Amino acid sequence: MDIHGTDSDGLTKAYESDNNLYLKDGTLYIAGTKGIRDAITDTTILFGGLQDTYRYKNAFLTARDNHVHTVVGHSLGSAIGQRIAEKLPTIRARLYGSPSVTGVQSNRIKYYRHRFDPISGLNMMPNVEQTVHLGNPHSYRGF
């Protein structure tokens, strides 16, 4: 299975979990928005308060305390994963449909988006890989 297929499976398990995380073989998968509490967390991205949220703190501690080498996130999970990779310099990140418009340029962080995705459409980081997907343009599948 290719890396995108593995990421898709891991993200699906993160979305199915109660804490929005799935940890396997040193990779932490972080789900995106799942409910009203997460929708409120989404607004913190705009105002720079993401690191003060429960979702970020829980993912950060999980990554730090479990010797994670890679974070994989989708949507809100991508914004969280980006911040974790910026704070922990040994971690690499693969981020799908990231709403982030700013960040540290790093070869450790790779962005993936589908063309016409309204959530990641403003992501102007130079290392964004774009594809055309016939389904939901904000999906983490189809890469």
Side-chain angles (χ1 to χ4, degrees):
M1 182 180 293
D2 70 298
I3 194 68
H4 297 298
T6 302
D7 287 351
S8 179
D9 290 348
L11 286 168
T12 297
K13 290 180 180 183
Y15 273 101
E16 292 170 349
S17 76
D18 290 336
N19 68 353
N20 306 303
L21 303 173
Y22 175 66
L23 181 62
K24 182 178 181 185
D25 299 331
T27 299
L28 179 63
Y29 300 90
I30 309 169
T33 304
K34 284 177 38 178
I36 190 68
R37 184 176 182 179
D38 288 347
I40 293 167
T41 300
D42 286 340
T43 64
T44 67
I45 295 170
L46 299 172
F47 303 108
L50 183 63
Q51 292 172 289
D52 298 324
T53 65
Y54 171 79
R55 284 284 307 270
Y56 172 82
K57 290 176 183 178
N58 188 37
F60 178 84
L61 293 174
T62 300
R64 187 193 67 190
D65 297 347
N66 289 282
H67 308 290
V68 165
H69 56 74
T70 304
V71 292
V72 176
H74 173 247
S75 195
L76 172 60
S78 286
I80 292 168
Q82 176 184 328
R83 295 295 188 277
I84 291 170
E86 290 171 355
K87 289 284 187 188
L88 301 174
T90 60
I91 291 184
R92 301 181 77 77
R94 291 189 299 275
L95 309 174
Y96 296 86
S98 176
S100 300
V101 294
T102 62
V104 175
Q105 185 175 342
S106 171
N107 62 359
R108 294 182 299 106
I109 302 173
K110 181 67 178 167
Y111 300 90
Y112 301 93
R113 70 177 297 269
H114 293 300
R115 197 174 308 274
F116 308 117
D117 175 1
I119 305 300
S120 65
L122 296 176
N123 188 329
M124 299 300 167
M125 299 304 289
N127 53 343
V128 178
E129 181 179 311
Q130 292 191 63
T131 62
V132 175
H133 182 58
L134 298 178
N136 175 358
H138 190 56
S139 177
Y140 53 87
R141 295 183 172 100
F143 286 92

